[in-house]
Amino acid sequence: MLRGLIWDVDGTLAETEEVHRTAFNLAFAEAGLDWHWDRQTYARLLAVSGGKERISHFQNSSAKEVVYDAGGIATLHDRKTLLYAELISSERIQLRPGVRRLLEEAAQAGLRLGIATTTSAANVRALLTSTMGARTPYWQAMVCGDDVPRKKPAPDVYVAALAQLELPASECLAIEDSENGLRAALAAGIACLVIPSAYTDGQNFREALAVIESLEKDPCGGSVNVVKLRDWHSTHEQQKKAVKNNVASSILC
């Protein structure tokens, strides 16, 4: 039985990656660096989970010289985080279609709600405050990238979120937008619904419970609601029991 929903943040709750990219570039410019991440470069870098890890990877693989040690990278990333919060507040970022509705429906239905993300707690707070207000009553669990030893596609954030929710993986559903997120959820034993975002469309989602364009565009018609999520999750769990270690690749209407 479905008792919990665990949400990714960037690209899933809201289309935030362009704001992140802008914040990175502003931080680089302030630091006097000649680094600039265009959309193509940033799309490649998203394969590396975590902002500090992304900076380190770029510096070691693409920059003309190594400028920062780990402490310098952390300081640069801290500045980027502050710039991101300012941009989120000023640009009036909206939740993706159907997100607020489904959160409210799930809370009213008694589902436990959690966040499992690679981004920092400061970034999560900035987005939630901007889109939902200072008080965000939905969440019973929140696990961010710096809370665990390994970031996605490792399952650590999901394992920690399950512990906070006090639910087994078999009673939860993850909602993600990326292949790394999907792999992390599956590695934790959690079925995963994927809603690709602007930067992840075209990634490999074959092992997802379902892949949909939007929570407002259910492939079977209408919008995705708690009843449909429970039906999909129940079908998935039945298939797992029928065929050991088999993961459903699609949900039939």
Side-chain angles (χ1 to χ4, degrees), residues 13-139:
L13 289 180
E15 287 276 13
T16 53
E17 292 298 356
E18 269 299 281
V19 186
H20 279 292
R21 185 177 74 87
T22 299
F24 275 115
N25 286 331
L26 287 172
F28 299 156
E30 283 188 5
L33 299 169
D34 63 352
W35 302 352
H36 180 81
W37 292 354
D38 58 20
R39 289 179 60 89
Q40 186 176 14
T41 299
Y42 191 63
R44 292 197 304 269
L45 289 170
L46 285 176
V48 180
S49 292
K52 293 185 289 290
E53 291 82 358
R54 214 164 283 147
I55 293 171
S56 178
H57 176 81
F58 177 80
Q59 174 177 246
N60 294 328
S61 63
S62 302
K64 296 176 182 177
E65 60 179 335
V66 174
V67 181
Y68 295 111
D69 59 11
I73 289 173
T75 299
L76 180 63
H77 186 260
D78 285 345
R79 179 56 183 156
K80 176 264 169 183
T81 298
L82 290 174
L83 290 166
Y84 172 82
E86 293 173 4
L87 290 170
I88 282 288
S89 177
S90 64
E91 295 192 10
R92 300 183 181 277
I93 297 297
Q94 301 294 313
L95 297 174
R96 291 187 68 177
V99 168
R100 187 186 299 273
R101 173 188 55 76
L102 185 57
L103 284 171
E104 292 174 352
E105 288 179 7
Q108 291 172 3
L111 296 185
R112 297 182 66 80
L113 300 173
I115 282 175
T117 177
T118 291
T119 198
S120 68
N123 286 341
V124 175
R125 287 194 298 270
L127 178 64
L128 295 182
T129 299
S130 175
T131 56
M132 299 183 185
R135 183 174 177 270
T136 53
Y138 300 112
W139 313 107

Side-chain angles (χ1 to χ4, degrees), residues 97-98 101 193-195 211-225 228 232:
R101 173 188 55 76
L193 171 68
V194 173
I195 313 169
V211 182
I212 61 175
E213 178 183 345
S214 164
L215 289 172
E216 300 292 16
K217 294 184 179 180
D218 174 9
C220 304
S223 59
V224 175
N225 55 31
K228 289 180 181 179
W232 291 353

Side-chain angles (χ1 to χ4, degrees), residues 219-238:
C220 304
S223 59
V224 175
N225 55 31
V226 171
V227 172
K228 289 180 181 179
L229 290 182
R230 281 178 164 155
D231 286 345
W232 291 353
H233 182 265
S234 175
T235 299
H236 172 77
E237 290 301 311
Q238 290 171 12

Side-chain angles (χ1 to χ4, degrees), residues 136-194:
T136 53
Y138 300 112
W139 313 107
Q140 285 85 47
M142 187 176 297
V143 183
C144 302
D146 291 338
D147 296 332
V148 294
R150 301 176 300 168
K151 297 182 179 179
K152 299 174 186 179
D156 299 33
V157 289
Y158 277 107
V159 173
L162 290 172
Q164 289 187 17
L165 292 173
E166 299 181 330
L167 292 174
S170 61
E171 295 182 1
C172 291
L173 178 65
I175 303 180
E176 280 278 357
D177 77 305
S178 71
E179 182 179 351
N180 273 349
L182 169 63
R183 289 167 60 193
L186 294 179
I190 306 170
C192 185
L193 171 68
V194 173

Side-chain angles (χ1 to χ4, degrees), residues 190-205:
I190 306 170
C192 185
L193 171 68
V194 173
I195 313 169
S197 62
Y199 272 99
T200 64
D201 193 29
Q203 292 183 0
N204 180 3
F205 301 128

